[in-house]
Amino acid sequence: MTVQRQQKWYWVCQALGWTFYLCIGLLMSFLFFNKQPGMFAVQFVGTGIFLGLTHLQRHLNHKYNWIHLPVGKLAVLILAYNTVASIICQLLVCLFMLAMGMFTLGEFSFGMLMMYSANGLVMLTFWSTIYFAFQAIKRWKEKEVEAWKLQLSLKESELQAIRSQLNPHFLFNSLNNIRSLVLEDQTKAREMITRLSAMMRYVIGYNQNNLVPVSEELAFLENYVALEKIHFEDKLTFTANVAPDVQTAAIPPLGIQLLVENAIKHGIGTQAKGGQIQLSLHRLNGHLQIQVENTGTLKPSSAPAGIGLERLLERVAHSMEKPGSFMLTQTSENGVTATLTLPYKEYENLHR
């Protein structure tokens, strides 16, 4: 709701509420004070003062942000304001009645002033309760909208991160390799085009919950490795050992592919004779453990995780509501192992 519309509805509610209060006051004056001149005018004056005092309270709330105070302090502040405002209202009404000659100073009763002030306090407190309850609901809705927008923005950022995760060099190399295959082996060229098309479809249409089952990620990985093998020819050997019970586990899309891509780029790509990559997935102590071992050596200056892996771990924490971990170690003289540990969650259980 826009500010102008809120302002409009505020004055509509003020007019309706205090008009109703005025009508009740006029009815009471007619029934009980019909013989006392000026009581109808008193009702108009009193209602007008109440309207002004409530509007002043709204102004002070906007100026000093009363709504942001703790509930206890806000309640005490409202009670104090309404008490003082009610007494002021009754004093002004009394002055009006004195000016109208409805009574004299000798007839003034402090007890009657307190009684009418108490009645005014009830009315003002009733107004404050409705007003601040509405403000609290509005704030809650605004925070909900802000949280939704933040979540949507985060999802869009994650989508962009996922879609940009495929190395552009890989795409160009794949297209060039497929172009060469067209002249040498048209059947294999068509197969590679199909695989590349399936990869693009997977990246563009990934699950909106930022998670996919391991089986889908492995199907994507199979296409990725097949295309990389065209480039490396016999220099790349890939094997996978996947436990049957982890096929339905949830995983962020392109999570395994990122580990394999790093193994190819920093491991196999640096070896003159190439090497091999071994992928293993298994369940361990309530976690999904993904290990990618490749031929190569770990440089002392190597960072434990690049930007891609940092984003992956951020996606894990957001999508799976629990953090993951990554470790890169030299496990043998010519072997490096990357270990990604994720919270184990069944994909189907997240989408029922």
Side-chain angles (χ1 to χ4, degrees):
M1 186 182 293
T2 63
V3 176
Q4 292 81 1
R5 194 173 181 183
Q6 290 179 15
Q7 188 83 355
K8 174 185 175 182
W9 278 108
Y10 164 76
W11 283 113
V12 168
C13 292
Q14 279 282 72
L16 291 176
W18 290 116
T19 298
F20 178 75
Y21 174 80
L22 176 61
C23 291
I24 296 296
L26 292 174
L27 178 62
M28 298 294 291
S29 297
F30 176 77
L31 294 176
F32 301 102
F33 302 98
N34 192 26
K35 295 181 181 180
Q36 189 170 358
M39 283 305 297
F40 292 109
V42 170
Q43 296 298 332
F44 278 97
V45 171
T47 302
I49 294 173
F50 274 142
L51 174 61
L53 290 171
T54 53
H55 185 64
L56 176 61
Q57 185 176 143
R58 174 178 179 267
H59 171 73
L60 293 173
N61 171 52
H62 286 179
K63 185 175 181 179
Y64 298 107
N65 292 318
W66 288 3
I67 191 66
H68 294 98
L69 293 173
V71 177
K73 289 185 178 180
L74 178 61
V76 171
L77 181 61
I78 292 173
L79 181 61
Y81 175 88
N82 288 341
T83 300
V84 174
S86 180
I87 293 174
I88 291 174
C89 176
Q90 298 309 318
L91 286 174
L92 291 175
V93 170
C94 287
L95 289 175
F96 176 77
M97 294 175 71
L98 281 170
M100 292 284 292
M102 299 178 66
F103 68 90
T104 62
L105 282 175
E107 296 173 331
F108 176 78
S109 171
F110 184 77
M112 291 297 293
L113 175 65
M114 289 297 100
M115 184 184 72
Y116 283 110
S117 296
N119 177 68
L121 175 61
V122 172
M123 291 305 304
L124 291 174
T125 303
F126 179 73
W127 183 93
S128 299
T129 301
I130 295 176
Y131 174 76
F132 282 99
F134 174 79
Q135 293 297 313
I137 293 172
K138 188 180 75 169
R139 279 190 65 207
W140 173 73
K141 287 186 176 180
E142 287 174 351
K143 287 185 178 180
E144 195 174 50
V145 170
E146 288 176 2
W148 178 80
K149 286 182 178 179
L150 181 62
Q151 187 176 12
L152 181 62
S153 176
L154 183 58
K155 283 183 178 290
E156 288 296 325
S157 298
E158 290 174 349
L159 174 59
Q160 290 301 114
I162 292 172
R163 288 179 176 173
S164 63
Q165 193 163 304
L166 278 181
N167 194 320
H169 295 293
F170 163 76
L171 297 177
F172 288 126
N173 289 337
S174 297
L175 290 173
N176 287 330
N177 293 332
I178 292 173
R179 184 182 63 179
S180 301
L181 278 176
V182 170
L183 300 176
E184 300 174 6
D185 188 342
Q186 294 185 4
T187 301
K188 190 172 183 180
R190 284 195 297 269
E191 178 191 345
M192 293 302 109
I193 291 174
T194 301
R195 288 182 181 276
L196 184 59
S197 174
M199 289 177 63
M200 294 299 99
R201 184 163 52 249
Y202 178 83
V203 171
I204 294 173
Y206 86 104
N207 183 271
Q208 292 300 312
N209 288 317
N210 302 328
L211 295 172
V212 295
V214 166
S215 58
E216 289 186 12
E217 179 74 1
L218 291 176
F220 172 84
L221 184 66
E222 181 183 354
N223 293 327
Y224 174 79
V225 173
L227 287 166
E228 285 285 34
K229 280 185 175 181
I230 301 176
H231 178 69
F232 286 93
E233 297 179 341
D234 297 332
K235 293 183 179 180
L236 173 60
T237 302
F238 179 84
T239 58
N241 178 22
V242 182
D245 60 341
V246 302
Q247 292 280 350
T248 56
I251 186 173
L254 276 66
I256 302 176
Q257 180 271 339
L258 177 60
L259 298 182
V260 175
E261 180 185 358
N262 285 343
I264 294 174
K265 179 180 178 182
H266 302 291
I268 308 304
T270 61
Q271 305 295 310
K273 296 182 180 180
Q276 62 179 2
I277 294 177
Q278 294 178 325
L279 169 68
S280 65
L281 282 84
H282 57 276
R283 188 172 182 176
L284 180 66
N285 299 326
H287 292 82
L288 174 65
Q289 192 171 81
I290 305 164
Q291 290 185 315
V292 176
E293 183 178 355
N294 64 271
T295 304
T297 56
L298 185 62
K299 297 179 181 179
S301 59
S302 297
I307 295 176
L309 286 166
E310 288 180 0
R311 288 180 177 176
L312 174 61
L313 292 175
E314 289 175 1
R315 287 195 284 132
V316 169
H318 173 68
S319 303
M320 309 189 79
E321 299 177 349
K322 289 183 180 180
S325 63
F326 175 77
M327 183 171 59
L328 188 64
T329 55
Q330 185 82 46
T331 50
S332 63
E333 184 179 352
N334 196 32
V336 177
T337 301
T339 304
L340 178 65
T341 304
L342 309 177
Y344 188 92
K345 292 188 177 183
E346 287 285 344
Y347 178 79
E348 292 296 330
N349 293 340
L350 299 175
H351 298 81
R352 288 181 177 176

